[in-house]
Amino acid sequence: TAPGPVTAESLERGLVNLGLMAGHAWQCLPEADRPAAQARLLAFNSIVIAEMGANAAFRFATSFGAGSSHEVDRAFCERSRADLAALFARHNLNR
């Protein structure tokens, strides 16, 4: 089935899911990799601000905080880290 039209509600849900995933992936990263990931996440949040506004960036950031504060399920670390790497690559943040 084809996805429905993009709505404000579906964009917000997507940002929440993306933030939760990024927070989970953050917990799965080795400590040495976290500073670079933090810089990339801040750059992504800047893109969200520029493209979607401060409210959307706040939604992403708070969801990231929630995802990075819950106990991590290590069974999903590989997938979360791959999803985070794909996000960085898609937005040319791997510099």
Side-chain angles (χ1 to χ4, degrees):
T1 310
V6 175
T7 64
E9 191 175 286
S10 67
L11 282 174
E12 182 170 323
R13 191 170 43 252
L15 282 172
V16 168
N17 290 339
L18 194 60
L20 290 170
M21 175 280 299
H24 183 268
W26 169 266
Q27 290 193 78
C28 295
L29 292 174
E31 284 291 326
D33 293 346
R34 287 183 177 184
Q38 179 180 0
R40 291 172 181 149
L41 286 163
L42 288 171
F44 176 75
N45 207 43
S46 294
I47 292 169
V48 174
I49 289 171
E51 297 292 325
M52 302 174 74
N55 286 341
F58 180 76
R59 175 64 66 202
F60 173 77
T62 56
S63 297
F64 173 84
S68 62
S69 65
H70 288 75
E71 189 165 333
V72 68
D73 184 344
R74 297 253 172 229
F76 296 100
C77 277
E78 188 174 325
R79 178 171 179 186
S80 290
R81 288 179 63 184
D83 288 346
L84 187 62
L87 173 74
F88 292 158
R90 189 169 37 256
H91 294 283
N92 198 26
L93 300 171
N94 286 327
R95 298 182 241 149

